[in-house]
């Protein structure tokens, strides 16, 4: 069987962690034999070599700011014929158009996409899924919501064909970390600085603070698990106001909620008071969590204490492995 040609776009916190995982010996001995890393790109450079790069070499070149002198430098992304799996770990664009154009080219040629970038799916879900449905290419997006906490792959493999009645989740770690820091008397600014330092804040942290990131994820969950065709521009959302008032005995949390009702699927992304009898109340300040209610069974609660770029890169890797 021929090896799959993998190309990586975005070599930031997530991209570099993915390269570290790919460089591990145990990975190379098994799955490493099934693909070749034909190229990578950041915002300034695109490198390509049809014979393949080692993950260590790309990682070292990026760290040493020497990407342009590694392999062949391209002026534009490689042609679809030269790639089988295109992995997008680039910064979310505001409108998703840059990414839509790239995904269209690869999907039309029957090539697959793995993405951790929410913007194209939140803005252009109908177009992207239509393209994926028409050809042989697939799009996998596990790490777009809740980073590395399994959601879409978990539902697909463990609850196949089940109708989901509701979803409630902490899908943006940064906003909830800021809210909890503020409740404990800390400043919003210090919490943001720490989130940037640890790598879990968005490049433009305004997306976290304004609630835009949580709204993007709400749209993706609704479209993926509830069969809607919502676009980000239709989704109302709330962000963190500096004058927010905290009530004694309650935590404030930015929560994404989706419910099937008689009038259709209702989606919300807003800040709620969470009381002690709510299982979200006892989550850690950097937790990610969701509760999902499938028809005919009790709700399922999934949580983790922390999710950052390492965990997200594992979500990306799990999608790549599914395609291999
Ligand atoms: N960090 C997380 O925990 C997390 C969790 C879930 C999802 N995500 C998503 O995953 C993606 C990557 O996150 P990250 O934390 O790794 O971000 P990051 O550290 O800011 O890295 C972003 C990467 O994208 C590159 N880039 C920016 N604009 C580009 C463009 N127009 N064309 C090509 N490359 C471009 C950057 O290039 P330079 O290196 O040249 O600046 C950088 O390599 C984002 O879409 C983010 O929303 C992240």
């Amino acid at each position: 069987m021929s090896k799959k040609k993998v190309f990586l776009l975005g070599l930031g916190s997530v991209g570099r962690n993915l390269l570290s995982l790919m460089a591990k010996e145990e990975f190379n001995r098994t799955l490493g034999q099934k693909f070749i890393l034909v190229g990578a790109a950041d915002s300034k450079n695109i490198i390509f070599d049809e014979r393949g790069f080692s993950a260590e070499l790309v990682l070292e070149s990026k760290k040493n700011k020497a990407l342009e002198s590694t392999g062949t430098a391209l002026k534009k992304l490689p042609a679809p014929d030269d790639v089988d799996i295109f992995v997008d770990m680039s910064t979310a664009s505001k409108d998703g158009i840059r990414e839509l154009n790239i995904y269209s080219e690869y999907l039309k040629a029957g090539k697959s996409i793995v993405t951790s970038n929410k913007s194209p799916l939140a803005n252009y879900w109908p177009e992207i899924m239509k393209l994926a449905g028409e050809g042989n290419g697939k799009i996998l997006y596990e790490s777009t919501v809740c980073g590395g906490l399994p959601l879409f792959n978990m539902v697909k493999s463990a609850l196949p064909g089940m109708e989901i009645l509701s979803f409630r989740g902490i899908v943006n770690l940064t906003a909830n970390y800021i809210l909890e820091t503020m409740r404990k008397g800390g400043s919003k600014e210090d919490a943001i600085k720490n989130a940037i330092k640890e790598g879990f804040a968005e490049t433009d942290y305004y997306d976290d603070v304004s609630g835009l990131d949580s709204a993007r994820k709400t749209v993706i969950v609704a479209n993926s698990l509830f069969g809607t065709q919502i676009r980000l521009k239709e989704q109302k959302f709330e962000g963190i106001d500096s004058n927010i008032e905290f009530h004694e005995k309650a935590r404030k949390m930015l929560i994404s909620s989706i419910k099937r009702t008689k009038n259709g699927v209702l989606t919300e992304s807003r800040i709620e008071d969470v009381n002690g009898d709510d299982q979200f109340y006892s989550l850690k300040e950097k937790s990610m969590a969701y509760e999902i209610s499938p028809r005919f069974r009790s709700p399922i609660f999934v949580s983790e204490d922390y999710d950052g770029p390492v965990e997200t890169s594992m979500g990306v890797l799990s999608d790549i492995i599914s395609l291999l």
Side-chain angles (χ1 to χ4, degrees):
M1 206 174 66
S2 66
K3 292 186 177 186
K4 298 268 186 218
K5 295 171 277 184
V6 173
F7 184 90
L8 310 181
L9 179 71
L11 300 173
S13 310
V14 177
R16 290 197 303 274
N17 276 297
L18 179 69
L19 285 168
S20 298
L21 290 174
M22 287 176 159
K24 291 208 185 310
E25 203 198 321
E26 59 272 33
F27 178 78
N28 265 309
R29 245 185 287 122
T30 52
L31 291 153
Q33 304 306 314
K34 296 190 175 179
F35 77 93
I36 47 172
L37 180 60
V38 290
D42 60 12
S43 65
K44 296 171 208 77
N45 299 291
I46 305 172
I47 58 164
F48 184 80
D49 187 338
E50 62 182 7
R51 292 163 302 174
F53 293 103
S54 74
E56 291 100 318
L57 176 66
V58 178
L59 190 56
E60 281 309 306
S61 306
K62 174 65 183 167
K63 280 186 188 160
N64 297 330
K65 302 192 181 353
L67 208 57
E68 70 281 10
S69 49
T70 312
T72 306
L74 300 184
K75 290 218 162 22
K76 58 184 183 105
L77 291 171
D81 275 356
D82 294 327
V83 176
D84 295 309
I85 303 175
F86 182 90
V87 185
D88 179 11
M89 297 168 291
S90 67
T91 310
S93 69
K94 285 286 166 231
D95 55 13
I97 290 179
R98 169 179 66 83
E99 299 91 324
L100 172 68
N101 290 335
I102 298 171
Y103 296 8
S104 299
E105 200 182 340
Y106 287 100
L107 287 171
K108 275 182 192 159
K111 304 309 169 99
S112 293
I113 310 278
V114 169
T115 184
S116 65
N117 180 348
K118 291 137 260 181
S119 186
L121 294 180
N123 286 292
Y124 291 104
W125 180 275
E127 290 80 1
I128 293 171
M129 292 305 150
K130 185 164 181 279
L131 283 167
E134 284 168 355
N136 297 323
K138 291 189 174 140
I139 177 150
L140 299 182
Y141 46 87
E142 177 60 54
S143 51
T144 54
V145 178
C146 292
L149 187 68
L151 169 59
F152 304 112
N153 291 339
M154 196 283 285
V155 171
K156 199 159 99 190
S157 63
L159 305 168
M162 284 210 192
E163 189 182 22
I164 307 296
L165 300 180
S166 71
F167 171 92
R168 182 167 172 259
I170 297 217
V171 294
N172 178 289
L173 193 158
T174 308
N176 284 296
Y177 172 67
I178 295 171
L179 285 166
E180 191 54 6
T181 304
M182 289 167 77
R183 184 178 76 98
K184 290 178 176 163
S187 80
K188 183 172 159 184
E189 290 68 31
D190 283 349
I192 292 170
K193 266 190 219 149
N194 204 28
I196 294 170
K197 202 168 108 201
E198 285 199 37
F200 57 80
E202 286 299 306
T203 311
D204 182 352
Y205 62 81
Y206 171 82
D207 290 358
D208 297 305
V209 178
S210 67
L212 179 66
D213 184 75
S214 181
R216 283 178 178 144
K217 291 165 173 168
T218 306
V219 169
I220 296 173
V221 176
N223 290 344
S224 180
L225 301 185
F226 293 73
T228 55
Q229 298 277 308
I230 304 169
R231 292 177 196 272
L232 181 64
K233 62 184 178 196
E234 299 157 40
Q235 181 61 50
K236 291 205 181 92
F237 60 92
E238 209 178 6
I240 305 173
D241 184 336
S242 294
N243 302 319
I244 193 162
E245 265 184 49
F246 291 90
H247 303 296
E248 218 187 321
K249 296 195 186 146
R251 282 176 74 173
K252 293 264 184 215
M253 290 182 167
L254 177 56
I255 294 191
S256 160
S257 311
I258 307 168
K259 264 192 214 108
R260 245 178 241 287
T261 72
K262 280 192 294 212
N263 303 321
V265 175
L266 297 188
T267 60
E268 282 188 329
S269 178
R270 61 184 186 86
I271 294 177
E272 294 179 18
D273 278 314
V274 173
N275 298 308
D277 55 356
D278 187 322
Q279 53 193 343
F280 280 35
Y281 184 87
S282 47
L283 290 170
K284 300 233 168 21
E285 61 185 8
K286 294 180 192 164
S287 287
M288 206 74 106
Y290 64 86
E291 185 186 76
I292 196 163
S293 303
R295 191 181 288 283
F296 305 128
R297 57 159 299 161
S298 57
I300 299 165
F301 181 69
V302 184
S303 74
E304 64 185 342
D305 289 348
Y306 178 77
D307 199 292
V310 175
E311 289 75 9
T312 301
S313 69
M314 289 176 179
V316 174
L317 188 60
S318 76
D319 280 345
I320 297 174
I321 292 172
S322 304
L323 292 170
L324 294 176

